[in-house]
Amino acid sequence: MNIATPPPSPGATAATPAAALRQGAWPTANGEVAFALWAPDAGAVELVFADGSRQPMAAAADGYFAAALACAPGTRYRYAIDGGEPVPDPASRWQPDGVHRASAVLASDGYRWKHDAWRGRPWAETVFYELHVGACGGYAGLRAQLPTLAALGVTALELMPLAAFPGRHNWGYDGVLPYAPAAAYGHPDELKALIDEAHGLGLSVFLDVVYNHFGPDGNYLGQYASRFFREDAPTPWGAAIDFRLAPVQRYFIDNALMWLHEYRFDGLRLDAVHAIVPNAFLDTLREAIMASVPAGRHVHLVLENEANQAGVLERGYSAQWDDDFHNSLHVLLTGEHEGYYAGFADAPAQHLARVLGEGFAYQGQADHRGHARGEPSGHLPPHKFVIFAQNHDQIGNRARGDRLITQVSEPALRAALALTALTPMIPLFFMGEPWGSRTPFLFFTDFAPPLDEAVREGRRREFAHFAAFADPQQRATIPDPNAVSTFEASIADISDATHGDGARWRDWFAALMALRRQQLMPALAQARALGARTLGPKAVAAGWTLGDGEWHVAANFGDAPVALDLPGRTVHAENAGEDPARLPPNAFVARYRPGSTA
């Protein structure tokens, strides 16, 4: 298919084919609203409205129930299953009163787009800025930040998940209504206005979507669609979603199409796809998305995949978050070796060199737990990997949410960020990082009792095996995720970029982005690795073909200088000193050699 939006669901009869139904409440061309619910455990389903009136829904094929009614936008409704307590629509597109309350009909054409000519940006131009919408003041607050962010030189915003969650504050990975943008951040039309204005400034907008699990509070699917889950495949979040079933696949495919077409996101980042079983659904999802995209429009799909499956990237996904880059770099910078850093502590420079030269550090070898991880990736182009020195996980999953700027020296951090920015992979920077923010990013939620206590104590237990928190009294000082102060402490004020150290970091970062735009972006799609090597226990060098030339980088995070033998002229240096044949501690250099025949 080659469509701008998914086709509307028709009104249903008992003969309506399941393939024609789209879950949720969708306005139709004839002025009605088509309601559809997959409830295979149910004998009867009724629509229940705010005035107490009820409308029986027609049973369709394969466990679906549907109805078509005249309803105004904003109409509140719920579903009563076999006469039970009414529940929200699992495909609710607007949940204004919380995840346990009524859903609301949303007009599909309530927003008038200003930048209809926008078709996105080529993947090679992508520089991600990952952010939490709530910590930026909601849709309206983030919209006010857009000119500053565009001036920094980032080209793509990546919004942490927006699916409706319980309470006022949440990272978004506890979402339970994937179709409903979180009401805590504003109206859905305000989200569209945010994306529209970003496009007007030349910024792509990506959304982090969670298709591997639902949050622990507010998901009612198990009451009437038990087959949605499979008890034989447990995950860290409970029973796995059963992606073997066509209605389950359709639920998530239609969700992706909604974000990309109705909201005009430029791409999706798929959270923890290693927990999607069977993994073949990734191909089904990608094929459905790309078939829906008109010619000339750029839509990009990015994976988070602990399994390092190079084969999935070969078959058409744009890229994968490369945790191996971060983990090896973090060990070099800090010396930390606990938790997942244990798998990189043995030889961090060798791991980082392998990432730079081949994509993944782990390509089938056993990690520190003895688990084989990954597939060979050296044949993939470097733009298949998204790299970062920090992201929401790598800051927020620390007990106190502390950033690298509070852990390492400024020269070491600048060298690390320059390596991230000037490597011909796709760079990502976290909220506040471009202006050197020292504000922590803590783990925050807003659960009601008794889940609030369970989350607080569970998080503190997670750190019991770390040396710094072996003492129960120390663990008790870990911020309570449910405290409002924990959320408020995580707001990185963008006004800090206008003065003092913030302005100094901002200007430095913007210059890095300008260099990337001039030197790397024009030929990035054709870049290929020439190889990488260690220069010392904590130093690496790597090179790539770039157009008709070569691009080489080297970084030293050790305590002593290392010998440096890189071809080309220096185009950027951090703390590199006067001697071109030696690289001092905490230094970085990038060199370009034009006209190479390599």
Side-chain angles (χ1 to χ4, degrees):
M1 56 184 172
N2 189 18
I3 52 177
T5 59
S9 301
T13 69
T16 301
L21 296 172
R22 183 166 43 141
Q23 289 202 62
W26 296 89
T28 65
N30 64 6
E32 294 184 319
V33 175
F35 296 88
L37 174 72
W38 187 60
D41 301 345
V45 178
E46 293 176 297
L47 274 163
V48 181
F49 296 100
D51 62 2
S53 63
R54 293 179 176 239
Q55 172 67 43
M57 300 177 72
D62 299 333
Y64 283 91
F65 292 81
L69 303 170
C71 291
T75 297
R76 302 298 203 266
Y77 70 97
R78 289 183 289 176
Y79 296 121
I81 315 297
D82 294 329
E85 187 68 23
V87 296
D89 184 349
S92 167
R93 296 169 57 237
W94 179 223
Q95 202 68 21
D97 305 314
V99 297
H100 297 286
R101 304 291 293 276
S103 304
V105 172
L106 180 69
S108 295
D109 59 353
Y111 180 78
R112 295 289 180 264
W113 293 85
K114 300 175 183 176
H115 300 286
D116 270 327
W118 176 262
R119 293 297 179 266
R121 299 185 67 148
W123 178 243
E125 297 179 1
T126 305
V127 175
F128 280 117
Y129 180 80
E130 188 195 19
L131 60 93
H132 185 278
V133 172
C136 293
Y139 305 131
L142 176 56
R143 188 177 172 187
Q145 296 184 14
L146 293 179
T148 300
L149 296 176
L152 286 170
V154 299
T155 66
L157 308 182
E158 183 174 308
L159 313 187
M160 289 173 66
L162 299 180
F165 52 77
R168 299 159 295 172
H169 315 301
N170 196 284
W171 272 18
Y173 300 94
D174 293 315
V176 290
L177 296 172
Y179 287 74
Y185 305 150
H187 190 276
D189 284 352
E190 291 182 276
L191 172 57
K192 294 175 182 178
L194 164 67
I195 296 168
D196 198 7
E197 186 156 334
H199 290 168
L201 292 167
L203 293 167
S204 300
V205 189
F206 286 65
L207 178 62
D208 192 341
V209 292
V210 182
Y211 292 164
N212 55 74
H213 74 283
F214 292 88
D217 181 27
N219 173 28
Y220 294 92
L221 278 163
Q223 295 183 15
Y224 50 82
S226 58
R227 290 160 51 196
F228 206 100
F229 305 96
R230 49 185 299 186
E231 297 295 336
D232 63 330
T235 76
W237 310 281
I241 295 168
D242 196 346
F243 285 96
R244 299 171 299 182
L245 302 182
V248 175
Q249 294 183 12
R250 181 75 190 270
Y251 179 86
F252 291 104
I253 289 170
D254 284 348
N255 180 259
L257 296 178
M258 180 196 75
W259 293 124
L260 294 170
H261 296 300
E262 181 182 348
Y263 287 87
R264 304 193 184 184
F265 279 97
D266 299 282
L268 303 174
R269 182 263 194 189
L270 279 67
D271 178 68
V273 300
H274 50 271
I276 290 177
V277 181
N279 213 234
F281 174 68
L282 293 177
D283 293 323
T284 303
L285 176 63
R286 175 184 52 78
E287 291 164 3
I289 288 172
M290 300 319 296
S292 77
V293 176
R297 183 182 173 192
H298 295 284
V299 166
H300 310 294
L301 303 175
V302 183
L303 303 175
E304 182 193 32
N305 189 354
E306 188 178 307
N308 280 3
Q309 292 171 295
V312 180
L313 298 176
E314 291 171 359
R315 295 194 294 274
Y317 276 90
S318 302
Q320 176 183 316
W321 272 30
D322 198 342
D323 283 331
D324 290 359
F325 177 89
H326 165 270
N327 292 347
S328 51
L329 178 62
H330 190 93
V331 173
L332 286 170
L333 288 167
T334 69
E336 293 183 6
H337 59 273
E338 296 179 290
Y340 42 65
Y341 296 130
F344 297 82
D346 57 334
Q350 287 91 326
H351 286 302
L352 182 56
R354 194 172 199 210
V355 168
L356 294 173
E358 302 178 34
F360 295 137
Y362 281 92
Q363 301 179 31
Q365 303 90 343
D367 63 15
H368 63 289
R369 302 163 297 180
H371 299 159
R373 173 172 167 253
E375 298 172 357
S377 57
H379 60 290
L380 293 172
H383 61 73
K384 287 287 185 178
F385 304 93
V386 177
I387 60 173
F388 36 83
Q390 300 174 99
N391 63 35
H392 75 272
D393 268 332
Q394 312 301 352
I395 302 172
N397 282 338
R398 300 178 67 82
R400 305 199 189 285
D402 46 323
R403 297 171 180 258
L404 278 174
I405 197 169
T406 67
Q407 303 169 53
V408 303
S409 69
E410 181 172 317
L413 182 56
R414 285 186 181 243
L417 295 183
L419 177 65
T420 306
L422 299 181
T423 293
M425 295 170 168
I426 302 297
L428 177 146
F429 302 93
F430 185 63
M431 179 177 63
E433 197 172 9
W435 62 87
S437 175
R438 293 177 174 270
T439 301
F441 186 70
L442 296 157
F443 178 67
F444 48 80
T445 57
D446 185 24
F447 290 125
L451 188 55
D452 57 347
E453 181 179 358
V455 169
R456 178 179 63 248
E457 298 309 316
R459 178 162 175 81
R460 290 173 177 172
R461 281 194 301 272
E462 287 179 11
F463 291 95
H465 65 284
F466 287 83
F469 297 100
D471 182 348
Q473 291 185 334
Q474 278 299 312
R475 291 200 298 277
T477 67
I478 295 174
D480 178 0
N482 289 282
V484 174
S485 59
T486 302
F487 166 72
E488 292 174 343
S490 303
I491 298 173
D493 189 346
I494 199 169
S495 69
D496 290 344
T498 64
H499 55 84
D501 281 347
R504 181 170 58 88
W505 274 94
R506 177 204 64 203
D507 293 344
W508 174 82
F509 181 87
L512 271 186
M513 294 299 99
L515 180 60
R516 181 179 178 88
R517 185 167 59 251
Q518 296 159 8
Q519 294 281 348
L520 291 178
M521 283 185 185
L524 190 73
Q526 291 77 44
R528 295 297 183 270
L530 292 170
R533 65 193 190 278
T534 60
L535 302 177
K538 293 188 175 183
V540 297
W544 298 264
T545 60
L546 196 65
D548 62 353
E550 293 179 0
W551 184 260
H552 294 267
V553 301
N556 179 15
F557 302 104
D559 299 323
V562 295
L564 181 64
D565 180 19
L566 287 187
R569 63 179 177 85
T570 297
V571 293
H572 186 81
E574 295 291 337
N575 194 36
E578 299 288 333
D579 186 350
R582 294 181 70 77
L583 193 63
N586 298 321
F588 168 87
V589 64
R591 292 179 182 171
Y592 178 66
R593 181 165 76 174
S596 170
T597 58

